[in-house]
Amino acid sequence: MPTLILVRHGRSTANTEGLLAGWTPGVALDERGAAQAAALPGRLAELPLAEIVTSPLQRCQETIRPLLEARPDLSPHTDERIGECHYGDWSGRKLAELKDEPLMEVVQAHPSAAAFPGGESMRAMQTRAAEAVREWNARVERDHGAGAVYLMCSHGDIIKSLVADALGLHLDLFQRISVEPCSITAIRYTRLRPFLVRLGDTGDFTSLAPREAPPGGEAEVGGGAGAP
């Protein structure tokens, strides 16, 4: 079966403003995110990509634009199932104010029980994304062969949930996974089991350096803004 390259969108205006974007329209890449997207074709230059699939949201579309310009033979496919979690009434709100919501504790510690008001549950988010990957795996293998490589551009929580699915981790453990903006995660699928061969690779180790304020124990819902 194919190898899937998961790319999280580049840093967005919502990331830098500390907002939980969800499906809020008009969320674009910021200056750094645009630079991350511009570097993507070079980072992936050695990979013979068979297909490119993307979330319909603007920040993902902008992230893969330079890659598509570098590979005019590829036409992107849009799949809503790899779009961001539907955060419902939480969409567009500041993460700093959401941390005091009782539901946030559930999102952090027991996400399989978390459902966003006016939105979807985290279980539903993972299920739709995993179903999309399985269908695309079959399609890519049928059209391009079992050794094909294809790419999906998606969002932090979606990618974390797909990694958990590939590793056989319960969704309640997925908040232990971190993927920064424009990071590359690779999963090689086989008939019996997937293999996680890259996780959140940005090629930049700045985020591992000590910080003035060490990160706390909470996961950043939506994925976080990455290195300063």
Side-chain angles (χ1 to χ4, degrees):
M1 295 179 71
T3 296
L4 169 60
I5 307 299
L6 288 161
V7 176
R8 185 183 167 202
H9 62 79
R11 195 173 75 175
S12 72
T13 52
N15 292 146
T16 47
E17 292 169 10
L19 301 176
L20 187 62
W23 285 69
T24 305
V27 177
L29 298 184
D30 67 6
E31 185 176 353
R32 178 170 181 158
Q36 291 170 331
L40 198 56
R43 294 169 64 197
L44 297 172
E46 300 302 316
L47 292 182
L49 297 176
E51 300 282 1
I52 293 178
V53 187
T54 181
S55 156
L57 296 174
Q58 179 179 337
R59 51 198 183 274
C60 286
Q61 302 277 339
E62 291 179 356
T63 297
I64 64 163
R65 189 173 298 151
L67 183 60
L68 291 170
E69 290 172 354
R71 304 200 186 199
D73 54 314
L74 290 175
S75 298
H77 305 273
T78 299
D79 194 324
E80 291 195 358
R81 294 174 297 177
I82 63 166
E84 181 60 287
C85 185
H86 291 275
Y87 296 117
D89 297 344
W90 280 26
S91 299
R93 293 180 60 187
K94 285 192 172 293
L95 288 163
E97 68 182 39
L98 288 171
K99 68 181 178 60
D100 295 325
E101 293 278 355
L103 177 61
M104 182 60 84
E105 187 176 13
V106 181
V107 169
Q108 292 290 328
H110 191 17
S112 65
F116 295 97
E120 70 179 332
S121 69
M122 302 199 90
R123 293 190 317 280
M125 173 199 74
Q126 183 186 43
T127 297
R128 62 173 165 87
E131 286 177 349
V133 166
R134 284 164 173 75
E135 288 182 21
W136 276 102
N137 281 349
R139 177 172 174 176
V140 169
E141 181 172 6
R142 180 196 68 205
D143 294 345
H144 303 284
V149 179
Y150 74 107
L151 180 147
M152 283 185 168
C153 185
S154 188
H155 306 265
D157 281 349
I158 294 288
I159 294 172
K160 288 162 56 178
S161 75
L162 289 171
V163 170
D165 176 75
L167 292 176
L169 291 177
H170 196 283
L171 185 61
D172 286 345
L173 300 178
F174 101 125
Q175 297 290 27
R176 302 183 184 194
I177 299 166
S178 175
V179 289
E180 292 198 359
C182 224
S183 63
I184 293 172
T185 294
I187 302 171
R188 181 170 294 126
Y189 288 88
T190 73
R191 186 174 68 87
L192 297 179
R193 64 181 61 85
F195 293 90
L196 178 66
V197 292
R198 291 288 189 281
L199 176 61
D201 188 345
T202 64
D204 179 358
F205 298 104
T206 306
S207 64
L208 301 181
R211 304 183 190 181
E212 290 184 11
E218 301 298 300
E220 296 181 273
V221 180

